[in-house]
Amino acid sequence: MLFLYNLLLLFASQIVKVAALFSPKIKLFVAGRKTVFETLESKISLSDKTIWFHAASLGEFEQGLPVMEKIKEEFPNHKIVVTFFSPSGYEIRKNNTIADVTVYLPLDTKSNAQKFLKLVHPDLVFFIKYEYWPNYLNELKKLNINTYLISGIFRENQAFFKWYGGFYRSALKTFDYFFVQNESSKLLLQKLGFNNVKISGDTRFDRVVAILERDNSLDFIKQFKNNTTTIVIGSSWPKDESLLVNYINQTNEKVKFIIAPHNIKSEQIQELKNSISKKVILFSEKENTDLSDYDVLIVDTIGILTKIYSYADIAYVGGGFGNPGVHNILEPATFGIPIIVGPNFSHFAEAVALVHQEGCVSIANQNELNDAFSNLISNEDIRHEKGHICSTFVQMNKGATDVILKHICNK
């Protein structure tokens, strides 16, 4: 089976090179891997001690960040190496301050795995949430390098738990320990005979709790808000925006809107701006302007949404009309803000929990969106109640990082 896997991987690597000619994202995927080994050779010496974290993309990096920070405190003499599989993670976080070296993960061939591990020679390895690369894992096992899965989550429909999943299950045998998010994940692993597993919870809670300790002030948002009830719309997609724009254009409520779309391509930003009939301005147009005069601010940049949530009275988190579903609701939740999402949230445990606890409201159509906004805008007590549910939920679920570090460091 491993032979077939390697053959398919070789075939896929050639297909990707052709696809790179037509897709900017795939072009980054291919081009970014060309200098990985050169970068590693220049930044890591044979005498260096290293610890390697692998994240599939941006979300997994953010998930692993609290553990990276604690590991760096516990092992100050080690270099931190972070790898990404996806351009959407690497391109945004390639200049992060936590890692000493940040690169793409070379494709999972045996020769790549051997060369990568020879150059990095890590003492500890952490895979974040998922991605199980057989050749890398097999080589780690051969070299007796302690390898951990953190914030892991398993579901019955995954290949590991199917009759044909023997090849995938063998990859799991290479891990020294599994730190999983919930009881069901632990039980699924135990059914396969894995007892080297502990429920640690989700490290994302630790990350969003830490957000409260930093300076989240943005003077231009304060000026725009101008002590007015403000709805922050984060990571919106066109299906979200079609409903939201209808509401924005027809509402008579005294309320302001900040929209931070998932896609900030200029043509789509301009199309969104043109669809709004109220007084609207872009982030890129804000200089030398009195923002308090505007009703809608569209954020055509990245990296500041988390801080913007700190000014919200109500949050709408996008993605819930697509697949796999809603984006990160924990960032607004940590600020104690009531949240509205679309109908597709069942793949995300925190969203399921907060909808059940009524801190988060799920809507499926225009009328439900209108009612949810109107209810929260007009009733401050309900806003505070739902916001309190959200912030309490985050605080009650923090601590995963400490569980992991206690085990790793034998404390």
Side-chain angles (χ1 to χ4, degrees):
M1 186 66 178
L2 186 59
F3 172 78
L4 180 60
Y5 169 80
N6 287 329
L7 191 63
L8 289 171
L9 191 66
L10 179 63
F11 178 72
S13 67
Q14 300 307 310
I15 294 296
V16 165
K17 289 178 183 178
V18 175
L21 300 173
F22 307 97
S23 168
K25 185 173 182 179
I26 297 177
K27 184 177 181 180
L28 290 171
F29 178 95
V30 173
R33 285 171 163 79
K34 290 181 179 179
T35 58
V36 169
F37 294 127
E38 182 182 328
T39 300
L40 294 174
E41 286 175 351
S42 66
K43 293 190 175 183
I44 302 173
S45 69
L46 287 173
S47 60
D48 285 332
K49 295 180 178 180
T50 71
I51 296 172
W52 170 31
F53 286 84
H54 175 64
S57 191
L58 179 61
E60 290 71 42
F61 173 82
E62 300 291 346
Q63 199 158 27
L65 192 56
V67 180
M68 296 179 205
E69 291 169 342
K70 289 290 186 180
I71 285 289
K72 196 160 190 173
E73 290 177 11
E74 292 290 338
F75 300 91
N77 297 322
H78 283 66
K79 285 186 174 180
I80 303 296
V81 178
V82 171
T83 58
F84 286 95
F85 181 77
S86 168
S88 58
Y90 176 81
E91 295 301 327
I92 294 174
R93 289 292 180 261
K94 60 185 176 183
N95 296 317
N96 69 83
T97 57
I98 191 69
D100 299 281
V101 186
T102 303
V103 293
Y104 279 101
L105 182 70
L107 290 179
D108 185 37
T109 66
K110 186 174 182 179
S111 60
N112 278 350
Q114 290 174 337
K115 188 173 184 179
F116 179 90
L117 292 173
K118 183 178 180 180
L119 291 170
V120 176
H121 49 82
D123 292 326
L124 297 171
V125 176
F126 297 89
F127 280 62
I128 304 165
K129 191 175 180 179
Y130 56 70
E131 282 212 336
Y132 310 93
W133 298 112
N135 285 309
Y136 279 100
L137 290 170
N138 287 336
E139 293 303 318
L140 286 167
K141 191 68 173 179
K142 288 177 186 177
L143 294 169
N144 292 316
I145 298 172
N146 288 334
T147 304
Y148 304 93
L149 180 70
I150 59 175
S151 286
I153 192 159
F154 293 90
R155 299 183 179 90
E156 286 187 15
N157 62 354
Q158 290 173 304
F160 308 112
F161 311 107
K162 304 295 185 180
W163 63 268
Y164 53 82
F167 174 69
Y168 303 98
R169 288 192 288 273
S170 65
L172 297 181
K173 294 177 182 177
T174 61
F175 285 95
D176 290 272
Y177 216 84
F178 300 90
F179 296 96
V180 298
Q181 294 187 28
N182 52 39
E183 179 73 20
S184 61
S185 294
K186 180 180 179 180
L187 291 174
L188 284 169
L189 286 173
Q190 287 180 331
K191 285 181 181 179
L192 296 180
F194 294 103
N195 293 308
N196 52 335
V197 54
K198 182 177 291 185
I199 301 172
S200 61
D202 189 341
T203 51
R204 288 181 304 159
F205 288 97
D206 297 325
R207 179 190 165 275
V208 296
V209 167
I211 288 170
L212 298 175
E213 299 171 4
R214 74 185 187 191
D215 180 9
N216 291 295
S217 59
L218 293 169
D219 289 342
F220 73 94
I221 295 293
K222 182 179 180 181
Q223 183 190 70
F224 171 79
K225 182 179 173 71
N226 194 28
N227 297 314
T228 305
T229 299
T230 299
I231 296 173
V232 173
I233 297 161
S235 303
S236 59
W237 288 76
K239 285 185 179 179
D240 302 295
E241 291 158 6
S242 64
L243 302 183
L244 292 162
V245 168
N246 285 339
Y247 180 81
I248 291 170
N249 287 342
Q250 60 85 31
T251 186
N252 294 317
E253 300 279 6
K254 187 181 179 183
V255 60
K256 294 197 171 194
F257 300 86
I258 302 173
I259 308 174
H262 176 77
N263 190 327
I264 58 169
K265 289 182 179 179
S266 58
E267 60 270 21
Q268 289 181 256
I269 290 291
Q270 199 59 48
E271 184 179 341
L272 175 61
K273 181 182 180 182
N274 293 340
S275 69
I276 297 171
S277 60
K278 295 193 174 178
K279 199 170 182 183
V280 57
I281 188 169
L282 305 182
F283 168 86
S284 57
E285 302 170 334
K286 68 181 174 59
E287 296 304 321
N288 303 314
T289 303
D290 185 356
L291 295 178
S292 64
D293 289 339
Y294 290 84
D295 303 305
V296 182
L297 170 64
I298 299 176
V299 183
D300 55 342
T301 188
I302 61 173
I304 58 173
L305 176 57
T306 303
K307 289 188 175 185
I308 292 174
Y309 277 134
S310 71
Y311 290 87
D313 296 289
I314 301 164
Y316 179 98
V317 178
F321 284 91
N323 185 26
V326 69
H327 286 271
N328 186 358
I329 68 169
L330 292 181
E331 289 181 352
T334 198
F335 290 111
I337 304 162
I339 302 165
I340 299 172
V341 298
N344 298 342
F345 60 87
S346 61
H347 279 75
F348 304 91
E350 68 278 6
V352 172
L354 278 175
V355 169
H356 178 72
Q357 295 178 28
E358 298 184 357
C360 181
V361 178
S362 172
I363 58 94
N365 54 51
Q366 188 73 61
N367 288 336
E368 290 181 7
L369 176 73
N370 295 350
D371 290 345
F373 274 145
S374 296
N375 188 35
L376 290 171
I377 292 167
S378 63
N379 196 320
E380 188 174 353
D381 288 340
I382 291 178
R383 283 208 308 271
H384 289 164
E385 180 185 350
K386 291 184 180 297
H388 180 69
I389 291 169
C390 288
S391 60
T392 301
F393 174 76
V394 172
Q395 291 293 328
M396 291 293 289
N397 283 281
K398 66 183 181 181
T401 303
D402 289 339
V403 172
I404 294 167
L405 266 291
K406 186 176 181 179
H407 180 94
I408 299 295
C409 302
N410 296 313
K411 290 183 175 181

